[in-house]
Amino acid sequence: MSPSFAYVYEAAFSQGAAGKEAARIEAEVSRLGIQGPVLREGFHEVQEGLERAIQEGSKNVVFVGHHGWFLQWIPWISAQKGITIGFLPLEPSPLSRALGMPTGAAAVGILAARVLRVLDIGLINSRPFFTEAVVLQTSARLEFEGSYAVRAKTPGPLAIQNFALHPKTGEALSVPGDGQLEAVLHTPIERVSWFGVWKKTELEETRIAFTRGKLSNDGQPLQITVDGQLLTAKEFAFDVLPGAMSCVVGPERLFA
């Protein structure tokens, strides 16, 4: 017998063509024998329903919708123990490609196969995140492990990555299951041609792996985008939850 499943549908999945795809998903779920409670946003108290389903034996929770909506569930996911997570995407995205999950009913067979990878979840000011935290231009001070710090001489992009993805291909740019975060600093470097005729500005990349860090900007507010959500604070503390999410992945995933 397959381990018990529960399904959470984004509200958008009940409308138009998405509603038809939802019907195809449910037919494939039934055919493969991985049925379970179905909770739809707008129709159910979803978190209460999930808690009840888990108490009744559901060990696999599948989120059906857009990747941005799925990332909003990361705080809830990080608090669960002994649960496997599946993401069944409504449309292609870097995250769906990275996980090797096709859209709609085509992904149901992958859910049934239950090939798993254990992935880390990052923390920013105790708020869980899955992909990365990005500041577009900053020379803020980034302190590691409370022992040493770096600061860009010239303002440039800074990212704190857990599971960073190439925005077009979905290729993993950081290791999502190594128990560490990675700071990526891009520093503008001006290079002069051989004859000194022209100058070209390039970005030099520096990567630093760490488990605990702190970002501050001399008491000034910082804005940082985390899993697509904008946060503002004078200081951001980073940490990592190693192996916090057991996730179903497909054979075409873009990481080991």
Side-chain angles (χ1 to χ4, degrees), residues 135-142 150-158 185-188 215-218 222:
V135 185
L136 294 180
Q137 292 290 326
T138 188
S139 55
R141 182 176 185 269
L142 185 56
V150 298
R151 183 195 293 266
K153 293 181 179 179
T154 305
L158 166 66
L185 297 87
H186 290 97
T187 307
L215 181 67
S216 59
N217 192 29
D218 302 321
L222 282 164

Side-chain angles (χ1 to χ4, degrees), residues 149-168:
V150 298
R151 183 195 293 266
K153 293 181 179 179
T154 305
L158 166 66
I160 306 298
Q161 299 179 342
N162 176 58
F163 189 15
L165 308 169
H166 189 285
K168 292 184 178 179

Side-chain angles (χ1 to χ4, degrees), residues 81-136:
K81 304 296 182 185
I83 300 299
T84 293
I85 299 300
F87 171 47
L88 200 159
L90 180 62
E91 62 186 14
S93 70
L95 180 59
S96 68
R97 296 186 188 101
L99 295 174
M101 299 299 290
T103 60
V108 176
I110 293 173
L111 295 175
R114 290 185 78 253
V115 175
L116 308 181
R117 289 294 180 272
V118 178
L119 307 178
D120 303 332
I121 290 177
L123 293 174
I124 177 170
N125 287 357
S126 299
R127 176 191 186 278
F129 70 98
F130 189 46
T131 57
E132 61 181 339
V134 178
V135 185
L136 294 180

Side-chain angles (χ1 to χ4, degrees), residues 7-220:
Y7 297 84
V8 180
Y9 282 75
E10 184 182 2
F13 228 124
S14 63
Q15 303 169 2
K20 295 180 181 178
E21 186 60 30
R24 286 191 284 269
I25 289 169
E26 290 167 13
E28 189 69 359
V29 163
S30 178
R31 185 182 74 82
L32 293 174
I34 54 172
Q35 304 96 319
V38 175
L39 303 166
R40 302 179 190 275
E41 285 191 332
F43 295 92
H44 303 95
E45 292 293 336
V46 175
Q47 288 201 25
E48 291 181 10
L50 276 177
E51 290 172 5
R52 186 162 54 251
I54 290 170
Q55 289 173 358
E56 293 173 355
S58 293
K59 298 296 184 183
N60 303 271
V61 178
V62 180
F63 294 90
V64 187
H66 293 89
H67 79 278
W69 169 81
F70 170 69
L71 291 175
Q72 294 174 20
W73 281 94
I74 293 298
W76 181 87
I77 290 169
S78 71
Q80 308 308 308
K81 304 296 182 185
I83 300 299
T84 293
I85 299 300
F87 171 47
L88 200 159
L90 180 62
E91 62 186 14
S93 70
L95 180 59
S96 68
R97 296 186 188 101
L99 295 174
M101 299 299 290
T103 60
V108 176
I110 293 173
L111 295 175
R114 290 185 78 253
V115 175
L116 308 181
R117 289 294 180 272
V118 178
L119 307 178
D120 303 332
I121 290 177
L123 293 174
I124 177 170
N125 287 357
S126 299
R127 176 191 186 278
F129 70 98
F130 189 46
T131 57
E132 61 181 339
V134 178
V135 185
L136 294 180
Q137 292 290 326
T138 188
S139 55
R141 182 176 185 269
L142 185 56
E143 180 181 318
F144 301 103
E145 323 298 348
S147 59
Y148 69 100
V150 298
R151 183 195 293 266
K153 293 181 179 179
T154 305
L158 166 66
I160 306 298
Q161 299 179 342
N162 176 58
F163 189 15
L165 308 169
H166 189 285
K168 292 184 178 179
T169 67
E171 177 188 1
L173 304 177
S174 57
V175 181
D178 62 353
Q180 295 182 307
L181 301 176
E182 197 166 19
V184 184
L185 297 87
H186 290 97
T187 307
I189 302 294
E190 194 172 74
R191 303 193 187 280
V192 182
S193 71
W194 181 261
F195 297 103
V197 177
W198 50 264
K199 296 180 180 180
K200 181 180 180 181
T201 301
E202 300 176 347
L203 289 178
E204 184 175 78
E205 183 178 277
T206 302
R207 288 182 170 267
I208 305 170
F210 70 101
T211 56
R212 186 173 290 110
K214 185 182 297 182
L215 181 67
S216 59
N217 192 29
D218 302 321
Q220 299 302 309

Side-chain angles (χ1 to χ4, degrees), residues 222-243:
L222 282 164
Q223 288 192 326
I224 192 165
T225 302
V226 185
D227 278 351
Q229 303 295 312
L230 185 64
L231 303 180
T232 302
K234 291 185 178 180
E235 183 176 277
F236 290 104
F238 293 93
D239 209 334
V240 62
L241 299 173

